[in-house]
Amino acid sequence: MGAKVIDGKAFAADVRARVAAHVARLKEEQGIVPGLAVVLVGEDPASQVYVRNKHASTIEVGMASFEHRLSAETGEAELLALIDKLNADPAVHGILVQLPLPGHLNSELVINRIDPAKDVDGFHISNVGLLGTGQKSMVPCTPLGCLMMLRDHHGKLAGLNAVVVGRSNIVGKPMAQLLLGDSCTVTIAHSRTKDLAEVCKRADILVAAVGRPEMITGEMVKPGATVIDVGINRIERDGKAKLVGDVHYDSAAAVAGAITPVPGGVGPMTIACLLANTLTACCRANGLPEPEGLTA
Ligand code: NDP
């Protein structure tokens, strides 16, 4: 029997609908409109697409969207001054600085200038520390989306063996922390891991965040496991451009119990979770209860 396909597109639509319903209630009952500010420096084409999509999704759920497009030559002082202004603006509940920044800007310095309470990407060092110590934080959007799908599929995750392949600060590490927070037994694998296939094969939950097209094959998957494919790789096959994950979908789906496709799996959840984080930040800022099921 083939694996159940976890439909991230449908799940993300449901998350956005829940966010929109909560936003409508906030407006009606409290007169509050959650606001997300997105800062884009430079003309990177991929970043421009992401920022456009974020703007459209923000408006669609009824939030206020504040876009700040700065030239590639923008200096650090100017960018930091804008962040200070957004930190102080009560209409702005979430701030996202689109990465990567042009080379002359220090990303760490810029990200750490954002008020941690408004850091809806969850990259501020305070949020990293809070997550690592199991405290309430802003959680990075991609791993949060993976966690939501896993909770939905499994119910409780406690006691399951989870293997996260990849140890980046934006995906692998926070993913591992979140799974640990849900009492999984967590292994983090990376480029120096010995016998990766054997390590992966122990996983009830296998998360691939490697950035290598179709590297995780069916032989590396435990029968019945849940496979979450974070990878987004653009390749050319038979003369055509194609988007593939870090998992070799066909061979893994033949063995797994459930699997996320690429496209249509983790990807759509990332923006949905950005909106969920903005709503959470807005509720916290106003001392209101947090939206249920939309946080870690
Ligand atoms: P990084 O390049 O920052 O990290 C990749 C990780 O994979 C590293 O920890 C690296 O190990 C590990 N790795 C590389 N090669 C191997 C190997 N042969 N065996 C085992 N581990 C290996 O990538 P990101 O975490 O930023 O992204 C991972 C993937 O997820 C990419 O395809 C990216 O496009 C995608 N992505 C998707 C998002 C979404 O919205 N769906 C959002 C963010 C990312 P080491 O540390 O030892 O070098």
Side-chain angles (χ1 to χ4, degrees), residues 24-289:
R25 271 202 310 281
L26 274 182
K27 267 188 210 171
E28 202 181 300
E29 293 167 13
Q30 313 280 342
I32 295 169
V33 181
L36 173 65
V38 175
V39 181
L40 174 63
V41 187
E43 275 92 42
D44 178 63
S47 294
Q48 295 210 6
V49 174
Y50 293 140
V51 167
R52 239 193 339 266
N53 290 344
K54 283 167 189 171
H55 172 74
S57 308
T58 307
I59 298 293
E60 198 186 287
V61 296
M63 293 182 181
S65 170
F66 308 99
E67 250 185 52
H68 295 269
R69 290 171 181 265
L70 307 179
S71 86
E73 289 75 41
T74 301
E76 208 156 79
E78 191 187 335
L79 180 56
L80 294 177
L82 172 61
I83 292 174
D84 289 345
K85 202 170 127 220
L86 297 173
N87 282 341
D89 186 343
V92 172
H93 303 97
I95 302 170
L96 180 148
V97 177
Q98 186 65 45
L99 299 176
L101 287 171
H104 67 283
L105 295 169
N106 178 340
S107 302
E108 249 172 55
L109 184 81
V110 171
I111 296 301
N112 288 328
R113 187 72 160 236
I114 299 171
D115 176 350
K118 297 190 179 189
D119 167 41
V120 281
D121 249 344
F123 295 159
H124 190 289
I125 194 69
S126 298
N127 282 316
V128 175
L130 289 168
L131 178 63
T133 49
Q135 300 180 70
K136 194 182 271 194
S137 63
M138 275 289 146
V139 175
C141 303
T142 301
L144 177 59
C146 297
L147 182 75
M148 281 186 192
M149 290 194 286
L150 284 166
R151 283 178 177 168
D152 181 70
H153 179 68
H154 284 273
K156 295 255 175 289
L157 304 182
L160 294 175
N161 280 332
V163 173
V164 180
V165 190
R167 56 174 163 178
S168 73
N169 290 333
I170 62 165
V171 188
K173 280 181 200 155
M175 185 74 249
Q177 296 285 6
L178 287 172
L179 291 165
L180 195 59
D182 270 26
S183 298
C184 291
T185 303
V186 183
T187 304
I188 307 178
H190 45 76
S191 67
R192 309 291 292 273
T193 296
K194 286 187 185 146
D195 202 351
L196 182 66
E198 188 272 326
V199 172
C200 290
K201 207 146 186 170
R202 284 190 247 137
D204 303 310
I205 292 170
L206 181 59
V207 181
V210 193
R212 293 185 181 260
E214 302 177 327
M215 196 194 90
I216 307 289
T217 57
E219 303 93 78
M220 300 165 84
V221 175
K222 178 179 170 176
T226 301
V227 178
I228 304 289
D229 189 354
V230 181
I232 301 178
N233 307 289
R234 284 169 181 85
I235 62 160
E236 208 180 284
R237 184 167 291 154
D238 306 327
K240 284 187 196 145
K242 200 170 183 272
L243 208 63
V244 298
D246 292 340
V247 176
H248 185 270
Y249 185 83
D250 288 343
S251 65
V255 187
I259 187 165
T260 59
V262 177
V266 174
M269 284 299 286
T270 298
I271 290 191
C273 287
L274 172 67
L275 303 171
N277 275 351
T278 305
L279 175 59
T280 300
C282 175
C283 291
R284 287 179 186 168
N286 287 284
L288 297 167

